[in-house]
Amino acid sequence: MPLAHGVGAQHDLPLSPFYAYAGAFAALFVSFLSLGLLWSASRFRGDRAGRPLPAAVQRLADAPATRTALRLLGAAAGLALVLHLLLGPDDPDRNPAPGAVYVLLWVGLVPASLLLGPVWRLLNPLRTLLALLPARRRPPRPLPPRLGIRPAAAGLLLFTWLELVAPDNTAAPVLLAALAVHTAVQLLGAARHGPDWFARADPFEVYSSLLARLSPLGRRADGRLVLRSPFNGLDATPPAPGLVATVCVLLGSTAYDGFSDNPRWITTLQTSSLGRTPTATLGLLAAVALVAVLYGLCAGALRLLNRELTTPLTSFAHSLVPIALGYLVAHYFSLFVTERPRTVIMAVGTDNAPSPAPPMGPGGLATLQVAAIVTGHVLGVVAAHDRSVRLFPPARAVAGQLPLFALMIAYTLGGIGLLIA
């Protein structure tokens, strides 16, 4: 079982570098120029926007029976995962547990969160397990605001290390150990700080909630369930400490994922005096650090252009979320389409599930992947422009976002380069 993506493998993509780069640059440049000429005032209203859904739909969504059913569904899925790891064969071709973790959970949360909102908050079996534990006599300690979602960013980094670097990452003992550590950390934190701990420290809850910012389903500030433009959901992203770190982990890990298939990097791993795992770990950390450094330089340039901008790091971090989504779609679409049915077939008891077939030809897959990256960056340009005209004086609104535009070009060209290299 190949280690790329945890399960499955990436295919060579036959695409002309010239057309890919030229098309991406043209899309970004036209978007930036059009916005500068036609978009002079902020149009997004964040959590104040949205068309309310019928009251019956909201009552159904918020009904205790609905939430209980989802909790039970998540708990049943978690219990099934543990039983497959404990009792099933230690063979990822016959045991659905690795696919459940790396495909159904990690990749499946992307379309689920985009369509339904932050679903993992309702499915999370650890919340159900916490509710079954004896209640604390002392009130929970509030989390310090400066902590933000940094614990979740660290958890995401550890999970991507498990997926992309760890040896034998589909073996049952490895997955059981990782699950035990994750469960212990989350339950201890929640027992001390209350259920709010999950919203800030559970990597999968934060991951799902962040992607759900681009969902057409959302809640207004008054709690109403609404249909909204994904840009309004994105604009309402809380500028919590750790937001930048979380998005940089998503971007950097997918970048490393693409680079890990490069023959030169494979040769480096095989010949490194440090050994494969330490070298791959350094590669993953370097990819995340490079993404973070580039964004840090961009934030510094924004601060120089407007001294009144006191929070340059978090003010535009929301514009990186659609970019991260584009990278996730580009790198995991093929994996999800091919491995999801196979995992489900094994989970319902069918042994020796058929090998997955590619969802489309190499040319079509390459086009979809490049389109996903470019679309994510164009959406990021729109989100950044709207925030820029809100924060900068009118005379400097367009010039003020030039560092962001340069950053997005760099991310785009780098992402496409990893796909077609």
Side-chain angles (χ1 to χ4, degrees):
M1 174 74 60
L3 291 175
H5 307 296
V7 181
Q10 194 174 24
H11 302 281
D12 294 329
L13 305 179
L15 194 66
S16 166
F18 173 79
Y19 289 115
Y21 287 131
F25 180 81
L28 289 176
F29 182 77
V30 170
S31 300
F32 179 78
L33 184 62
S34 301
L35 291 169
L37 294 174
L38 304 175
W39 197 309
S40 58
S42 177
R43 303 183 184 184
F44 302 147
R45 298 170 53 227
D47 58 7
R48 295 172 295 154
R51 182 185 299 274
L53 290 172
V57 175
Q58 173 131 3
R59 285 196 299 269
L60 177 63
D62 293 340
T66 301
R67 293 175 177 267
T68 299
L70 291 173
R71 292 275 185 235
L72 292 176
L73 177 62
L79 178 60
L81 172 66
V82 173
L83 291 177
H84 278 295
L85 288 173
L86 289 174
L87 306 177
D90 192 10
D91 179 359
D93 290 325
R94 299 173 56 211
N95 192 324
V101 173
Y102 296 121
V103 180
L104 299 185
L105 175 60
W106 177 242
V107 186
L109 274 179
V110 176
S113 301
L114 289 177
L115 292 174
L116 303 174
V119 292
W120 191 247
R121 187 181 302 166
L122 298 175
L123 293 171
N124 191 348
L126 297 182
R127 284 186 178 266
T128 304
L129 189 56
L130 177 68
L132 298 176
L133 296 177
R136 280 172 51 99
R137 293 183 179 180
R138 296 180 181 179
R141 291 189 178 184
L143 288 162
R146 65 179 180 276
L147 185 66
I149 57 174
R150 290 191 178 103
L156 283 171
L157 181 60
L158 289 173
F159 179 81
T160 55
W161 178 87
L162 174 69
E163 181 204 12
L164 301 173
V165 175
D168 300 323
N169 60 353
T170 58
V174 174
L175 286 173
L176 277 171
L179 182 61
V181 171
H182 172 70
T183 301
V185 169
Q186 294 302 317
L187 289 181
L188 287 173
R192 184 179 181 85
H193 299 287
D196 287 345
W197 167 266
F198 294 113
R200 296 169 65 178
D202 187 306
F204 301 107
E205 272 206 22
V206 171
Y207 173 63
S208 174
S209 298
L210 196 59
L211 293 173
R213 291 290 167 183
L214 288 164
S215 172
L217 286 176
R219 289 190 184 269
R220 289 192 319 211
D222 60 4
R224 286 298 303 270
L225 192 64
V226 297
L227 286 176
R228 66 186 181 188
S229 163
F231 284 115
N232 283 312
L234 192 62
D235 188 65
T237 304
L243 175 62
V244 174
T246 301
V247 180
C248 287
V249 168
L250 294 176
L251 287 171
S253 62
T254 49
Y256 176 77
D257 186 8
F259 181 69
S260 63
D261 284 338
N262 187 285
R264 293 182 180 179
W265 180 245
I266 294 174
T267 301
T268 299
L269 292 179
Q270 294 172 342
T271 59
S272 173
S273 59
L274 295 176
R276 179 200 172 279
T277 300
T279 304
T281 300
L282 291 176
L284 174 62
L285 294 176
V288 174
L290 177 61
V291 171
V293 167
L294 290 175
Y295 183 72
L297 293 173
C298 172
L302 290 171
R303 182 72 174 85
L304 289 175
L305 291 172
N306 188 356
R307 295 289 184 178
E308 297 178 357
L309 184 62
T310 58
T311 57
L313 280 173
T314 56
S315 293
F316 292 91
H318 70 296
S319 67
L320 299 183
V321 175
I323 299 174
L325 174 62
Y327 275 58
L328 289 167
V329 172
H331 285 272
Y332 291 113
F333 170 80
S334 178
L335 170 74
F336 184 69
V337 173
T338 56
E339 291 288 348
R340 177 185 54 83
R342 184 168 176 267
T343 300
V344 172
I345 289 173
M346 285 192 288
V348 297
T350 301
D351 201 4
N352 297 321
S355 299
M360 58 182 69
L365 180 60
T367 302
L368 183 144
Q369 291 179 312
V370 172
I373 289 179
V374 174
T375 301
H377 283 81
V378 170
L379 297 179
V381 169
V382 175
H385 178 82
D386 188 86
R387 185 62 58 87
S388 179
V389 297
R390 184 186 306 171
L391 296 178
F392 291 120
R396 287 185 288 171
V398 175
Q401 59 182 305
L402 284 174
L404 279 166
F405 182 60
L407 175 72
M408 291 182 182
I409 289 178
Y411 282 169
T412 303
L413 299 184
I416 293 175
L418 291 174
L419 285 177
I420 65 179

